[in-house]
Amino acid sequence: YRKSSSKSLPDKYLEIASMSRLSPGTCTPPRICLLHDAPAAGGVATVTRALVEGLRAAGWPVEIQHAAPQRGPALLAAARRSDVLLAAHNFRPAYVAWALGLAARRRAVVWVHGPVDTVLEQARAGAGKQAWLRWLYGRVSHCVFVSRSSQAAFQRFMREGSRKSPALRVVYNPAPPSSDDARPAWATRRHGPVRMGYMGRLSAEKNPQLLLETLRRLPPEFHLSLAGDGPLRGALEAGSQDLQQAGRLRWLGHVEDS
């Protein structure tokens, strides 16, 4: 669930970038070093591109760096040119942001997109890695969450170990404001199917199986199209032959610029 906001995209993302040492009224916007290792497609990559576009549109300088450990000297130089380090998500970019922040004496802000405890459970992360992550997350400056449920999951995870916690902030992903009198498709009279869509990675943490189970419980006029790829695609396609044969389910695969 992503909460809609009437704020413009640059205004929303300025909330993230403003977590630097510079005051909001400063004449010179802080320089942002964004660290990522996300693939070219997917939700994190899409919202990261929107972040960069929003900040640059507002006049904030953003330098993008790939958080690969072998790029240590280049990353350190980029950190020293910046005022704040922003990790695109809470795994490898967060590790690199913390290390660079320590070396360059810069604040590290970590962007958290999903439920940390659930992701680690599904990845079967050992107790040692979980303890190390709690230690690390307790030493970054801020963690920013895309939803209150993600923040609650992080707080549950941190309560199980380290007492130290970073400053926490929820900044919802922006969405165009909806009309007050807009009505759901199923609340109006229609002729023909009610078309639904999903765009995202087909992996365990997204729980796409729930979509198929929901579709089976809905009336037959409800149809679903899924755009995306991932490790669960084969099993999901094989287990949804009934829906495909009924013409209620379409698999679109990876779609560029979606």
Side-chain angles (χ1 to χ4, degrees):
Y1 168 71
R2 300 290 169 83
K3 184 175 181 180
S4 175
S5 170
S6 60
K7 290 187 179 181
S8 67
L9 186 146
D11 288 343
K12 289 295 296 181
Y13 283 134
L14 289 179
E15 294 182 50
I16 296 177
S18 64
M19 295 170 191
S20 67
R21 286 192 175 90
L22 301 183
S23 64
T26 184
C27 296
T28 304
R31 297 162 296 179
I32 309 299
C33 179
L34 188 142
L35 301 160
H36 78 97
D37 70 344
V44 173
T46 300
V47 78
T48 299
R49 284 195 298 271
L51 166 65
V52 172
E53 292 169 3
L55 291 175
R56 287 176 173 169
W60 293 50
V62 181
E63 182 173 353
I64 302 171
Q65 292 287 337
H66 189 268
Q70 63 270 27
R71 300 189 63 248
L75 290 172
L76 182 57
R80 287 172 173 161
R81 291 192 296 269
S82 303
D83 299 303
V84 60
L85 306 170
L86 175 59
H89 63 78
N90 56 293
F91 292 107
R92 181 188 289 178
Y95 314 157
V96 175
W98 167 77
L100 291 174
L102 195 63
R105 297 184 178 181
R106 300 293 190 270
R107 285 193 177 186
V109 177
V110 176
W111 205 359
V112 183
H113 299 266
V116 175
D117 53 353
T118 302
V119 171
L120 291 173
E121 180 182 354
Q122 291 174 344
R124 298 181 180 178
K129 180 173 183 178
Q130 293 190 41
W132 181 77
L133 285 172
R134 291 187 186 98
W135 180 89
L136 175 73
Y137 294 153
R139 283 158 179 79
V140 300
S141 171
H142 290 74
C143 282
V144 180
F145 304 88
V146 299
S147 68
R148 296 204 178 276
S149 61
S150 294
Q151 182 184 29
F154 180 87
Q155 290 172 315
R156 286 195 303 269
F157 175 71
M158 294 298 286
R159 276 199 298 267
E160 295 177 10
S162 172
R163 294 182 180 179
K164 190 172 183 180
S165 179
L168 308 181
R169 180 81 173 271
V170 175
V171 179
Y172 298 107
N173 286 340
S178 58
S179 172
D180 291 338
D181 58 356
R183 299 173 67 191
W186 55 87
T188 63
R189 288 190 174 184
R190 298 182 56 91
H191 298 284
V194 178
R195 302 190 184 278
M196 304 182 296
Y198 167 86
M199 293 185 293
R201 182 168 169 77
L202 300 173
S203 53
E205 68 273 12
K206 303 290 187 182
N207 196 17
Q209 179 62 36
L210 182 60
L211 288 172
L212 305 184
E213 295 170 3
T214 301
L215 184 60
R216 287 192 177 96
R217 293 174 179 268
L218 289 171
E221 62 266 25
F222 284 79
H223 292 199
L224 175 65
S225 297
L226 292 99
D229 208 342
L232 296 185
R233 181 177 174 183
L236 291 170
E237 286 193 19
S240 60
Q241 292 297 318
D242 58 322
L243 295 170
Q244 296 176 62
Q245 291 170 6
R248 300 182 61 199
L249 179 64
R250 288 198 308 158
W251 296 92
L252 303 178
H254 174 68
V255 179
E256 290 290 340
D257 299 323
S258 59

